[in-house]
Amino acid sequence: TDFNIYSEELQMLLLENNVAYEVVEKIREDLKSEMAEKAFKRGDLADKFKDYFKESLSSIFVEPFDLIEKINSSSSKPFIINFMGINGTGKTTTIAKIVHLLKKNKISCIVSASDTFRAASIEQLQYHADKLGIKLIKHDYGSDPAAVAYDAIQHAKSKNIQVVLIDTAGRMHSNTNLIDELKKIKRVAKPDLNIFIGESITGNDCIEQAKVFDKAIEIDAIILSKADIDEKGGTALSISYILKKPIIYL
């Protein structure tokens, strides 16, 4: 039937565009339940297929929250945001962008340099902090990341600073030592938000990484970086559906 031909073509197209298999199956089932039993005029089939496809896609995404609203309405003083993900996804740069956003909304913040692992990570953060005119709380390389976060939170409390942003070491999700370090940061800092930063261009790898972080720490939200060079777009669909978490920024 025409429906089956459309459906198979769509399956191939979605898989080629980094959409995870279980998401493809969900979309196919949605379309089947909407279309299979109904009679359409031949000329209407393509339009109806498109309409139901759009509906299915929009049901996949988890409704995102507004970060500024969440901070302003929270009773947590300071409000603590922990950023995590693997190496090279753009965590530190993203934190600088969030600082800029907070400043624009007249929200005071400081950053904790809890990536004490990667060479030059503290210098990179310091560079951003200087340009943005905010304080960076840092220790030496190799020191305890949770201790840095603790100091940052104490500093924020003493100075009535509204938000603490924690930069953590980019860890391969298979590195148990670094995952344990993250668990300790969570225990010590008790973040209000744990944000996973993933590269949209890495497709199913990004989803597998996020699953490990979610199991260890429990992710609250996702930021997908490098979306400007992601011509496929399937990662966004898959990660939101599989983790049942909102994507708050691209």
Side-chain angles (χ1 to χ4, degrees):
T1 66
D2 284 351
F3 172 75
N4 285 339
I5 292 165
Y6 271 125
S7 182
E8 275 165 29
E9 276 185 23
L10 181 70
Q11 179 181 20
M12 285 313 298
L13 198 64
L14 290 170
L15 288 171
E16 283 166 8
N17 282 284
N18 280 346
V19 180
Y21 187 75
E22 62 190 275
V23 181
V24 175
E25 284 303 287
K26 182 226 185 291
I27 292 168
R28 285 187 75 181
E29 284 307 309
D30 284 356
L31 289 170
K32 200 169 164 186
S33 67
E34 288 289 359
M35 297 190 71
E37 305 304 316
K38 295 173 185 166
F40 297 105
K41 292 195 187 104
R42 198 176 177 97
D44 289 346
L45 183 66
D47 285 341
K48 288 290 177 197
F49 195 89
K50 261 188 207 162
D51 291 344
Y52 290 133
F53 178 49
K54 274 184 189 167
E55 269 174 41
S56 178
L57 290 185
S58 63
S59 74
I60 281 169
F61 287 108
V62 176
E63 190 65 32
F65 54 82
D66 181 301
L67 181 62
I68 301 300
E69 219 169 82
K70 204 173 189 65
I71 292 166
N72 282 333
S73 62
S74 171
S75 58
S76 297
K77 302 281 182 263
F79 188 90
I80 300 159
I81 309 175
N82 183 34
F83 293 86
M84 58 199 168
I86 73 156
N87 271 324
T89 52
K91 262 194 319 304
T92 306
T93 312
T94 300
I95 289 170
K97 290 178 180 183
I98 301 276
V99 169
H100 181 66
L101 177 75
L102 296 179
K103 285 192 72 177
K104 225 165 59 176
N105 285 276
K106 302 193 168 35
I107 295 170
S108 57
C109 62
I110 58 166
V111 176
S112 166
S114 290
D115 178 357
T116 60
F117 184 72
R118 176 174 68 88
S121 61
I122 299 172
E123 286 82 350
Q124 186 191 0
L125 254 186
Q126 187 69 65
Y127 175 79
H128 285 304
D130 291 346
K131 282 191 81 171
L132 291 158
I134 59 143
K135 189 168 176 63
L136 179 70
I137 303 296
K138 60 188 180 180
H139 292 187
D140 292 335
Y141 285 104
S143 55
D144 181 358
V148 188
Y150 178 83
D151 283 356
I153 293 161
Q154 294 313 309
H155 181 85
K157 282 178 181 169
S158 71
K159 303 282 184 192
N160 278 330
I161 293 167
Q162 289 162 276
V163 178
V164 176
L165 307 166
I166 303 171
D167 187 18
T168 63
R171 48 213 78 212
M172 285 309 292
H173 50 300
S174 53
N175 186 326
T176 48
N177 290 348
L178 289 172
I179 290 286
D180 286 344
E181 204 176 82
L182 256 187
K183 287 179 179 173
K184 186 177 178 187
I185 291 172
K186 187 181 177 180
R187 282 198 310 274
V188 171
K190 300 183 178 59
D192 297 282
L193 271 185
N194 287 297
I195 297 179
F196 173 79
I197 297 176
E199 280 183 319
S200 54
I201 44 176
T202 50
N204 284 324
D205 278 356
C206 182
I207 295 148
E208 289 312 308
Q209 292 157 16
K211 276 184 183 169
V212 176
F213 283 99
D214 191 41
K215 193 167 174 242
I217 306 296
E218 201 177 330
I219 293 166
D220 299 302
I222 298 156
I223 294 176
L224 284 182
S225 65
K226 307 182 190 180
D228 54 338
I229 50 167
D230 174 25
E231 76 284 0
K232 293 185 171 179
T235 308
L237 272 180
S238 307
I239 202 165
S240 194
Y241 179 71
I242 291 169
L243 268 82
K244 305 283 180 278
K245 312 285 172 166
I247 297 168
I248 55 170
Y249 295 110
L250 287 179

